[in-house]
Amino acid sequence: HRGGGRSSARETIARCVAGALAKLVLTRLGIEVWAYTSQVGELSLSGDYNRYDFDEIEKNPVRCPDADMAKRMEEYIGKVKSEGDTVGGVVTCVVRHVPAGLGEPVFDKLHAALGSAMLSINAVKGFEYGMGFRGVRYRGSQMNDVFETQQGKIVARTNHSGGIQGGISNGEDIYFRVAFKPVATLLKDIETVDSQGNPTVLRAKGRHDPCVLPRAVPVVEAMAAMVILDYYLLAQSHKL
């Protein structure tokens, strides 16, 4: 009863339960959903997600696939907490073996649904898929994903588009990044005003995480799984 209601991370339990069921179905379809902490404050993993072993994600409290970086992140979060402050970061999500053809070309684009799902999570402030904002640095000749035939199968030579083109999955890995802000509730005095507009000081009580990233990882996975399963079922219904 002392929680923050819809603003509390407690509400994500329902998402995780539903997401777990969705992941069970996707697993039977051969589709894998992986999320991990890729950045905390200024500490960020470098390079492509393919260089990391996803089996390492659950082997540390930060849920980072790089053991050395995970230790640095954990120590940094501890330092921030000792100062009564909070810090944000980024969760990266990868969905593998998604069949081509999921999504709609206009109002129900697959990436729009994923973005909507991620932005509905508490503390999320940003979403980008594929190359995202980095793509503005390139020309079309560098950015376009060229298709070719390999072993009798049509595949993309690169995956700058993050597995989604024209709002529809193209059969490549879907990958995206979700930005989480620092928790607003600090364990130190915060200047504010009361309901009458008079200056006052807010002193938070209770337990508050200095960083939501580790707890946010399964929530991102859950939301991604539900969106992908929704669109898979829609694609099957269109075939009937």
Side-chain angles (χ1 to χ4, degrees):
H1 71 284
R2 294 182 60 190
R6 65 180 182 179
S7 298
S8 170
R10 292 174 179 85
E11 65 88 11
T12 60
I13 186 172
R15 301 170 186 244
C16 289
V17 171
L21 295 175
K23 287 180 69 175
L24 286 174
V25 178
L26 294 180
T27 297
R28 298 190 65 174
L29 297 173
I31 300 174
E32 302 175 356
V33 183
W34 299 91
Y36 60 91
T37 299
S38 57
Q39 182 172 344
V40 172
E42 296 293 333
L43 300 176
S44 177
L45 293 178
S46 60
D48 186 81
Y49 63 84
N50 286 304
R51 65 182 293 183
Y52 300 108
D53 182 1
F54 291 166
D55 288 334
E56 297 294 317
I57 295 173
E58 293 296 332
K59 292 183 179 180
N60 60 78
V62 189
R63 289 194 166 106
C64 174
D66 183 284
D68 292 335
M69 179 58 76
K71 184 176 181 180
R72 292 175 59 191
M73 288 177 173
E74 188 175 357
E75 292 174 347
Y76 181 59
I77 293 173
K79 180 178 181 295
V80 170
K81 181 178 181 179
S82 68
E83 297 171 354
D85 218 330
T86 61
V87 64
V90 174
V91 170
T92 295
C93 186
V94 181
V95 189
R96 288 175 166 161
H97 312 304
V98 178
L102 303 190
E104 301 290 345
V106 185
F107 296 110
D108 292 313
K109 297 177 186 287
L110 181 56
H111 59 267
L114 286 168
S116 176
M118 299 307 142
L119 290 166
S120 75
I121 302 172
N122 292 336
V124 170
K125 288 296 182 181
F127 170 85
E128 65 172 1
Y129 73 102
M131 289 287 283
F133 286 100
R134 288 184 299 151
V136 303
R137 305 174 185 174
Y138 299 89
R139 297 187 180 186
S141 57
Q142 299 171 304
M143 187 72 175
N144 289 349
D145 293 320
V146 178
F147 286 97
E148 59 186 13
T149 301
Q150 295 182 7
Q151 300 178 344
K153 181 181 179 182
I154 298 177
V155 298
R157 187 180 302 168
T158 56
N159 192 18
H160 299 145
S161 61
I164 304 173
Q165 291 177 293
I168 300 172
S169 62
N170 65 6
E172 302 298 320
D173 289 351
I174 293 175
Y175 65 95
F176 55 87
R177 289 158 48 88
V178 186
F180 286 81
K181 71 172 184 175
V183 176
T185 305
L186 309 181
L187 297 180
K188 57 182 179 181
D189 292 351
I190 304 175
E191 293 183 0
T192 184
V193 295
D194 59 23
S195 59
Q196 303 301 316
N198 301 311
T200 187
V201 174
L202 174 65
R203 295 182 178 86
K205 298 180 180 179
R207 184 189 63 80
H208 300 280
D209 291 331
C211 179
V212 302
L213 271 296
R215 299 180 186 274
V217 168
V219 184
V220 169
E221 281 191 2
M223 296 304 293
M226 285 190 282
V227 170
I228 297 300
L229 181 56
D230 276 349
Y231 275 74
Y232 179 86
L233 294 174
L234 284 170
Q236 298 306 304
S237 68
H238 291 168
K239 296 177 182 179
L240 298 178

